Amino acid sequence: MKFPSEPFKIKVVEPIRRTTREERDRLLREAGYNLFKVPAESVYVDLLTDSGTSAMSDNQWAGLMLGDESYAGSRNFYHFEETVKSIFGYRYVIPTHQGRMAENLLFSTVVKPGMCVPNNIHFDTTRANVEHQGAEALDVVVKEAYDPHCDMPFKGNMDLVRLEDAINRVGRNRIPLVMITITNNSGGGQPVSMANIRATSELCRRYGIPLFFDACRFAENCFFIKEREPGYQTKSIADIARELFSYGDGCTMSAKKDGLVNIGGFLSLNNAEWVQGITNRLILVEGFPTYGGLAGRDLEAMARGLKEVLDEEYLEFRIGQVRYLGELLEQGGVPILKPVGGHAVYLNAKEFLPHIPQSQFPAQALCVALYREFGIRGVEIGTVMFGKKDPSTGRTIHPELEMVRLAIPRRVYTNMQITYVAESIIELFRTREAIHGLAMTYEAPVLRHFTARFEELPA
Ligand code: F0G
């Protein structure tokens, strides 16, 4: 195993507090066994998300001091705009405070009731924003994406046959745009190949449908292309990104991932008419077009982060650290989703806890146990997040995959802390029979995973 040693040294440290098992048990009861309700201060290694949790560089912190907080035309906006154009190549750049606002602005402008938006797999806020417009959010990823054992290099690829079927079934006029999520978060952080993106682009152009990217983890996707796709080994990440985005018409971006910032996002696109509608709505709900819900200093940090993320040494460490966790777990016999994706390792809860039926939320039970025993916080990506009630029978329809995502924040944890995580999970796997299922006692009508409450079932 090639050890991915850190390409940085630590200048500032943030102490983390150790808690006792008793304390964590009490916090879990108070939180209704929902890890979103546990105070972050009581978590030792927090793998809830890689979003907004990055450590900024000294260069980004220095940039904050150069924030120009003018209401209109801040110099940081121009730096940010120029940076986004140089990487993504689209004509217009609209800053937003995070990714879902970019989605909301785009979909509320171009999606109408009865329409359909295909995507490899919609992330939950993307799906919710499409459905909020009364449209269908259709997932058309290759079928291998749903097989946790299929070790395919580009498991985030679009299924072009299903995409074309959908276009013919729904009708070109009811598909305002097609999206590709890079990397495919809900499918395990799996990359999409350049060949698949090119072919999707050709299909979309044939039908006159715009192609957009959900670009949150674009640099990680480009790194996988460089590593795995013939013909890209000698190209720079910036060149790969430029080619990739040239196949589309725009993108939404949560810079909280590959922008290496704690807050920020944007929308970038070519269609001037769409931009007009989006800008009008932006001013109503978010802010003036040269700050979009952010401070000038945030725009500066984002501009600098977007350049830093293209650094290959950083990406080698980043992807390597995630892979390192996956390899340790595999060596310990722990069932994980294969291959390991760009930002997270996913535990296969169905195989980790075969004695807990899906109706008793095995992935959530695994999250609870991991926190109670070791102070590690992961996130459930399974029945709690994606389970749906059948409106006619009232019964829950369970998703195919039942997983716990261990998302690794960028540049935050040392490899020793990652080793601690691996050893803890291997230990938990040895004693897995002691873990029991849960019953849900409260659920909100949409995005229920954030606020759901549970009770532990007796042994
Ligand atoms: N698209 C993808 C693929 C995402 O992963 C996220 C966020 C968003 C859009 C929305 O961006 O949070 O800035 O509004 N994903 C986070 C996660 C929350 O934990 O995976 P946002």
Side-chain angles (χ1 to χ4, degrees):
M1 184 191 309
K2 188 165 170 280
F3 196 76
S5 88
E6 293 81 353
F8 50 79
K9 55 184 176 176
I10 297 168
K11 195 189 305 254
V12 177
V13 294
E14 180 184 346
I16 36 182
R17 197 169 62 90
R18 292 279 201 168
T19 47
T20 62
R21 187 185 186 281
E22 256 178 335
E23 206 175 338
R24 294 191 295 268
D25 190 51
R26 176 179 55 78
L27 288 167
L28 277 169
R29 269 183 277 119
E30 286 169 8
Y33 300 95
N34 186 333
L35 279 298
F36 283 102
K37 298 244 187 75
V38 170
E41 273 201 327
S42 308
V43 177
Y44 178 57
V45 182
D46 201 347
L47 308 181
L48 184 69
T49 179
D50 64 320
S51 178
T53 51
S54 300
M56 291 204 293
S57 65
D58 51 357
N59 175 49
Q60 285 175 291
W61 280 103
L64 290 185
M65 285 308 290
L66 300 174
D68 165 7
E69 305 307 339
S70 308
Y71 189 93
S74 151
R75 68 164 170 257
N76 310 111
F77 170 73
Y78 297 117
H79 180 206
F80 163 72
E81 184 186 40
E82 173 200 307
T83 306
V84 173
K85 282 187 182 173
S86 74
I87 299 169
F88 297 81
Y90 305 122
R91 216 164 297 141
Y92 303 100
V93 180
I94 300 158
T96 60
H97 77 278
Q98 62 182 82
R100 69 197 69 181
M101 180 51 90
E103 294 164 3
N104 185 282
L105 291 168
L106 176 65
F107 298 146
S108 65
T109 305
V110 309
V111 177
K112 307 281 175 259
M115 286 186 164
C116 169
V117 178
N119 197 327
N120 42 4
I121 304 186
H122 288 81
F123 179 65
D124 57 357
T125 61
T126 323
R127 167 173 295 279
N129 270 299
V130 169
E131 290 175 351
H132 188 64
Q133 300 304 323
E136 181 193 2
L138 183 69
D139 295 339
V140 291
V141 73
V142 291
K143 64 176 186 320
E144 289 86 351
Y146 296 104
D147 174 0
H149 302 287
C150 174
D151 205 341
M152 203 169 102
F154 292 103
K155 241 171 132 177
N157 279 357
M158 300 283 272
D159 183 331
L160 293 165
V161 173
R162 281 177 61 217
L163 176 60
E164 191 158 12
D165 281 353
I167 296 172
N168 289 324
R169 175 174 59 81
V170 177
R172 180 258 160 273
N173 294 333
R174 289 207 292 131
I175 301 187
L177 56 95
V178 168
M179 270 198 126
I180 306 181
T181 305
I182 51 172
T183 56
N184 185 26
N185 183 7
S186 305
Q190 303 294 335
V192 183
S193 73
M194 192 72 92
N196 186 259
I197 289 169
R198 203 181 299 122
T200 307
S201 171
E202 279 163 14
L203 181 68
C204 288
R205 290 203 172 147
R206 202 154 8 101
Y207 285 93
I209 302 172
L211 175 64
F212 272 63
F213 294 97
D214 178 338
C216 299
R217 300 177 179 85
F218 76 97
E220 291 170 4
N221 200 102
C222 290
F223 184 82
F224 280 119
I225 288 175
K226 181 169 173 123
E227 198 181 59
R228 296 178 182 173
E229 195 161 350
Y232 290 94
Q233 279 68 41
T234 58
K235 296 214 161 116
S236 71
I237 299 296
D239 283 344
I240 296 172
R242 217 166 293 122
E243 180 186 341
L244 187 157
F245 290 113
S246 76
Y247 296 124
D249 303 284
C251 68
T252 57
M253 172 83 186
S254 167
K256 297 171 74 172
K257 286 83 166 169
D258 273 353
L260 297 175
V261 286
N262 306 117
I263 196 74
F266 61 85
L267 232 172
S268 193
L269 66 163
N270 288 331
N271 184 324
E273 207 181 305
W274 285 12
V275 167
Q276 202 167 49
I278 288 165
T279 305
N280 292 341
R281 195 171 153 75
L282 177 83
I283 294 171
L284 181 71
V285 300
E286 182 80 331
F288 189 73
T290 61
Y291 71 84
L294 294 164
R297 57 178 170 269
D298 297 328
L299 292 166
E300 188 59 34
M302 197 161 41
R304 292 178 184 218
L306 285 167
K307 286 181 193 158
E308 285 178 19
V309 81
L310 303 175
D311 174 23
E312 229 161 278
E313 245 180 83
Y314 156 74
L315 283 167
E316 214 171 298
F317 161 73
R318 161 68 177 161
I319 303 287
Q321 189 180 50
V322 177
R323 194 174 291 160
Y324 169 65
L325 174 59
E327 285 174 4
L328 290 181
L329 290 173
E330 268 208 288
Q331 284 165 13
V334 176
I336 61 168
L337 179 88
K338 296 282 300 282
V340 173
H343 67 300
V345 174
Y346 293 68
L347 304 176
N348 185 341
K350 274 189 192 170
E351 289 176 12
F352 200 113
L353 301 171
H355 58 286
I356 302 183
Q358 228 177 335
S359 58
Q360 295 179 9
F361 309 106
Q364 184 68 18
L366 186 50
C367 284
V368 167
L370 193 54
Y371 176 67
R372 180 158 41 208
E373 303 306 326
F374 300 103
I376 298 164
R377 175 158 70 170
V379 71
E380 196 261 15
I381 310 245
T383 304
V384 181
M385 190 178 272
F386 292 118
K388 275 226 163 92
K389 281 237 159 52
D390 182 330
S392 54
T393 63
R395 301 236 314 258
T396 302
I397 306 166
H398 298 294
E400 190 61 34
L401 297 177
E402 184 75 26
M403 299 185 291
V404 171
R405 184 185 73 171
L406 306 167
I408 316 287
R410 295 169 182 76
R411 307 189 291 206
V412 170
Y413 291 116
T414 63
N415 286 326
M416 195 50 84
Q417 284 162 320
I418 296 298
T419 309
Y420 167 79
V421 171
E423 285 175 353
S424 302
I425 294 170
I426 292 166
E427 176 62 27
L428 198 62
F429 186 60
R430 277 197 213 108
T431 54
R432 60 192 178 276
E433 256 136 55
I435 302 174
H436 306 302
L438 300 164
M440 197 184 279
T441 56
Y442 167 75
E443 63 175 302
V446 282
L447 298 173
R448 66 176 182 174
H449 49 287
F450 291 121
T451 52
R453 296 185 73 82
F454 303 86
E455 263 169 21
E456 277 198 299
L457 293 167

